[in-house]
Amino acid sequence: YRSVKTGSNFQIILTVSKLLPLAAIVFIGLFFLGDGNLYLLPKSQNTAGGFINQFTAGISATLWAYAGFINILYMAGEVKNPSKILPRSLFGSLIFVTVAYTLVSLCVGSIVPFAKMVEADGTFINPFAYLEYFSKYAGGFFAIATFISMAGVLNSVIMTQPRLEYAMAKDGLFFESFGHLHPKYLTPDYSISIQSVLAILLFFLGDINTLLGYFTLSYVLQNALVYGAVFSLRKKSDYLPTYKLKRTLVYATISIVIQLYIAAGTFMAFPLAGILACLFLILSGLPVYWYFYKKKF
């Protein structure tokens, strides 16, 4: 709210702080790779179709682990030398996040017996509780690490998401109040405040699994629309991006298909109530968009 620079510096502190326990898990977990916790004999009744459904649901359920790096784009207007910084940030963060989460998943799986992970069924798994000399302090340590991680996610989302609604409002396609800038800090203050309040209210409307289902479906459908926009943008004379990717339309098509595949997986991974609520709210937003669109043009 007060400063993009202050918020980004705070984000660096939070990111480093939450990586330290993850790095510890990776380091310790490498010594457990041979203990057999990663393996479980498959049930004889499992079919190929059942495996594909489980695989699809698993991808949808873990999407948020890889979703944050794209938020860099929403801050493009406030980044120095974006044509140079943004490609490096995107590719660098994508590689880092993929390697980091793969190592964390591998090492947590080597510490925690696979059967225990299956029994968890959506609850938290505390790998430190399975370390003999650390189990006494595992609960408190895990709570602190989780809090820091959540604070880091909140800080980044509060910085990035309001910029979307701010841009929509400035284009005349959303409520005018969201386009307001603080006279001193030059940040979208109304957009930040309104969305923070709405986010808090949402937690009173359902449990975490329902909310995850709601936001996962809306997120992948949003991504599909973003990738689809490339087809129409390329036809406009004023579309002059500073960074171009070869075979853009091919990659955009592949990306749209992947998002639709993940969208189908949300129906397998999350409670149906959240999915239906998401579809209803998305459809209810169309008349609002058409209203602003006709008002502008």
Side-chain angles (χ1 to χ4, degrees):
Y1 186 94
R2 291 177 62 92
S3 166
V4 173
K5 187 175 182 179
T6 302
S8 61
N9 289 338
F10 185 52
Q11 185 65 34
I12 292 173
I13 296 172
L14 290 171
T15 301
V16 173
S17 299
K18 75 176 184 179
L19 285 177
L20 291 177
L22 294 177
I25 282 294
V26 170
F27 178 76
I28 296 171
L30 292 175
F31 295 95
F32 287 79
L33 289 177
D35 286 9
N37 289 332
L38 286 168
Y39 309 101
L40 187 69
L41 291 175
K43 295 181 180 179
S44 57
Q45 64 266 30
N46 277 356
T47 61
F51 172 78
I52 292 174
N53 289 339
Q54 292 175 354
F55 182 77
T56 303
I59 291 175
S60 300
T62 57
L63 176 68
W64 288 105
Y66 298 86
F69 74 95
I70 201 171
N71 288 347
I72 298 168
L73 297 175
Y74 306 153
M75 307 291 290
E78 298 164 86
V79 174
K80 293 180 179 179
N81 196 2
S83 61
K84 182 178 181 181
I85 296 297
L86 287 180
R88 290 182 180 180
S89 299
L90 281 170
F91 289 117
S93 60
L94 180 60
I95 294 170
F96 177 80
V97 168
T98 302
V99 172
Y101 274 87
T102 301
L103 286 174
V104 169
S105 298
L106 174 67
C107 292
V108 168
S110 68
I111 296 172
V112 182
F114 191 81
K116 295 291 184 182
M117 297 184 70
V118 174
E119 291 172 7
D121 191 24
T123 59
F124 283 112
I125 287 288
N126 185 356
F128 296 101
Y130 293 85
L131 301 176
E132 182 179 355
Y133 300 105
F134 205 88
S135 57
K136 183 179 179 180
Y137 312 99
F141 183 79
F142 188 70
I144 294 172
T146 302
F147 173 79
I148 292 173
S149 179
M150 287 181 169
V153 173
L154 280 173
N155 187 68
S156 65
V157 171
I158 290 172
M159 286 179 63
T160 56
Q161 184 66 32
R163 267 71 183 180
L164 290 178
E165 284 68 28
Y166 169 79
M168 291 167 61
K170 296 301 289 184
D171 287 342
L173 298 174
F174 204 52
F175 298 103
E176 187 178 346
S177 58
F178 283 82
H180 183 270
L181 281 180
H182 192 283
K184 180 180 179 181
Y185 306 132
L186 300 179
T187 57
D189 51 350
Y190 288 2
S191 186
I192 292 172
S193 301
I194 294 171
Q195 292 189 75
S196 295
V197 172
L198 288 174
I200 294 170
L201 291 177
L202 280 173
F203 274 99
F204 293 95
L205 301 179
D207 56 39
I208 188 66
N209 278 336
T210 300
L211 288 173
L212 276 174
Y214 165 79
F215 284 111
T216 300
L217 181 60
S218 63
Y219 180 75
V220 296
L221 293 179
Q222 169 193 303
N223 287 347
L225 289 172
V226 170
Y227 302 138
V230 174
F231 291 88
S232 61
L233 286 173
R234 285 172 60 91
K235 298 177 182 179
K236 296 184 177 181
S237 58
D238 60 345
Y239 179 61
L240 301 171
T242 55
Y243 179 80
K244 291 185 178 181
L245 186 69
K246 293 181 179 179
R247 301 181 184 87
T248 304
L249 298 184
V250 174
Y251 290 122
T253 302
I254 294 173
S255 299
I256 292 171
V257 171
I258 291 173
Q259 298 306 308
L260 295 178
Y261 168 72
I262 297 174
T266 60
F267 287 88
M268 307 174 192
F270 298 106
L272 186 60
I275 303 296
L276 295 178
C278 174
L279 289 174
F280 172 76
L281 287 174
I282 289 174
L283 293 175
S284 68
L286 289 175
V288 178
Y289 171 77
W290 286 327
Y291 166 77
F292 284 109
Y293 185 83
K294 289 183 178 180
K295 184 179 178 182
K296 179 180 179 181
F297 300 102

